Amino acid sequence: MAVTNHPACDGLFIISLIVIVSSIFGTSSAQLNATFYSGTCPNASAIVRSTIQLALQSDARIGASLIRLHFHDCFVNGCDASILLDDSGNIQSEKNAGPNANSARGFNVVDNIKTALENACPGVVSCSDVLAFAAEASVSLAGGPSWTVLLGRRDGLTANLAGANSSIPSPVESLSNITSKFSAVGLNTNDLVALSGAHTFGRARCGVFNNRLFNFSGTGNPDPTLNSTLLSTLQQLCPQNGSVSTITNLDLSTPDAFDNNYFTNLQSNNGLLQSDQELFSTTGSSTIAIVTSFASNQTLFFQAFAQSMINMGNISPLTGINGEIRLDCKKVNGS
């Protein structure tokens, strides 16, 4: 029997092959796109931005808190809004994990954003995309870069408390450990340094840096890579056996502005967290040259930060028919 090559058949074969290959390799971040809501909720970005602008009037640190939620979400089960789920019958909330308990905040603003979106476009915008939108708006409103947010994530149906305890980088970890945690989610050293630059705004509690102030790593002395003037200030703010919940600025020069001062601070040993200062003070580390380049060129930092935020937002998203569009970010639908 003669075999004929029909153009239409070839096209169908190629389409079928694409479908097969896609199903083999599973959900891809390539399925996220910038125009996902253009037909269903065209004002989504503006709604997010205006809600954050309102929140900033009474809470100068809310932008930093919101970007941190996106970061802590994406490192656990991918960017699926699992961090927003409360405890329930079969869900152990990630809010109770060590990196989040008594420190993750901004959940009320996320709820306000979601309510505004539900009023405008019911059942359309996912909570995971709310976090991605909010991160970009928070940085932009603080004077930082804007970027094209890729969209189309869907919301997870469960949380991962154990994963939140083990996968989120800690401010008291070694640089090698933190690098490994970034690598585990597909992010490289450039992403690590760029994303650490988010500590150019926001606050931190004494409990996450007081290990540096009096008895660093069991030496009986403060961290030698901590500027002596800053050390004296922090020892007064966070005395031994004092409150661990007192807060101070991550960036002592421009605490609420998104700029490259975080990196110039590191060059003078004025990084607040151990994990910050390690980027510049770890002998022989490839991170030193990246810190130096960002310190001398804010535009370069802004470009790298925007790209690394896109990279982070691409970590294992749920798309298509996976997950759901949560109607209330705190709980799965029907619960």
Side-chain angles (χ1 to χ4, degrees), residues 60 64 199-203 249-259:
H199 287 170
T200 182
F201 66 169
R203 316 284 182 263
N249 298 323
L250 281 161
D251 177 349
L252 69 166
S253 55
T254 51
D256 296 323
F258 198 99
D259 52 31

Side-chain angles (χ1 to χ4, degrees), residues 61 79 88-89 92 136-137 142 160 168 174 183 197-198 201 218 220 228 247-248 254 291 293 310 322:
R61 62 190 284 222
C79 308
S88 68
Q92 289 184 291
E136 191 277 338
N160 185 353
I168 296 171
S174 68
S183 180
F201 66 169
S228 58
I247 60 170
T248 192
T254 51
V291 169
S293 67
I310 292 169
N322 296 308

Side-chain angles (χ1 to χ4, degrees), residues 13-274:
F13 172 74
I14 292 169
I15 291 169
S16 300
L17 189 61
I18 290 169
V19 170
I20 291 167
V21 170
S22 297
S23 66
I24 290 171
F25 290 103
T27 303
S28 164
S29 59
Q31 292 171 268
L32 301 181
N33 66 80
T35 58
F36 191 81
Y37 298 114
S38 60
T40 53
C41 197
N43 295 324
S45 179
I47 290 169
V48 173
R49 189 179 180 93
S50 62
T51 307
I52 295 173
Q53 280 179 304
L54 183 62
L56 281 166
Q57 294 176 14
S58 58
D59 183 0
R61 62 190 284 222
I62 191 62
S65 299
L66 290 169
I67 196 172
R68 186 167 181 255
L69 287 181
H70 186 41
F71 170 46
H72 283 205
D73 178 42
C74 290
F75 268 68
V76 183
N77 288 10
C79 308
D80 66 346
S82 57
I83 192 173
L84 303 179
L85 290 170
D86 283 342
D87 274 325
S88 68
N90 59 348
I91 289 174
Q92 289 184 291
S93 177
E94 293 171 20
K95 296 177 184 180
N96 299 323
N100 297 326
N102 301 312
S103 68
R105 61 192 298 277
F107 298 106
N108 58 323
V109 177
V110 172
D111 288 339
N112 291 344
I113 293 169
K114 180 62 172 172
T115 297
L117 288 168
E118 286 300 306
N119 288 338
C121 329
V124 171
V125 181
S126 68
C127 299
S128 45
D129 278 347
V130 166
L131 293 179
F133 269 134
E136 191 277 338
S138 295
V139 170
S140 170
L141 288 166
S146 296
W147 61 90
T148 301
V149 181
L150 301 183
L151 303 160
R153 300 168 193 81
R154 289 166 65 86
D155 299 324
L157 303 176
T158 189
N160 185 353
L161 176 61
N165 276 317
S166 63
S167 299
I168 296 171
S170 160
V172 298
E173 276 187 293
S174 68
L175 179 56
S176 60
N177 278 11
I178 293 170
T179 302
S180 295
K181 288 185 175 182
F182 271 74
S183 180
V185 291
L187 299 176
N188 63 27
T189 304
N190 205 66
D191 296 315
L192 164 57
V193 179
L195 293 173
S196 295
H199 287 170
T200 182
F201 66 169
R203 316 284 182 263
R205 297 173 301 133
C206 289
V208 298
F209 59 82
N210 60 7
N211 67 306
R212 307 181 70 199
L213 305 183
F214 302 100
N215 181 22
F216 182 63
S217 297
T219 60
N221 295 302
D223 184 342
T225 67
L226 183 55
N227 179 289
S228 58
T229 303
L230 178 58
L231 172 64
S232 298
T233 302
L234 295 176
Q235 286 176 330
Q236 292 175 21
L237 181 73
C238 310
Q240 284 182 292
N241 304 315
S243 171
V244 296
S245 57
T246 304
I247 60 170
T248 192
N249 298 323
L250 281 161
D251 177 349
L252 69 166
S253 55
T254 51
D256 296 323
F258 198 99
D259 52 31
N260 71 331
N261 286 3
Y262 167 84
F263 297 103
T264 56
N265 290 341
L266 299 184
Q267 293 178 311
S268 54
N269 284 0
N270 280 313
L272 181 65
L273 308 180
Q274 175 186 332

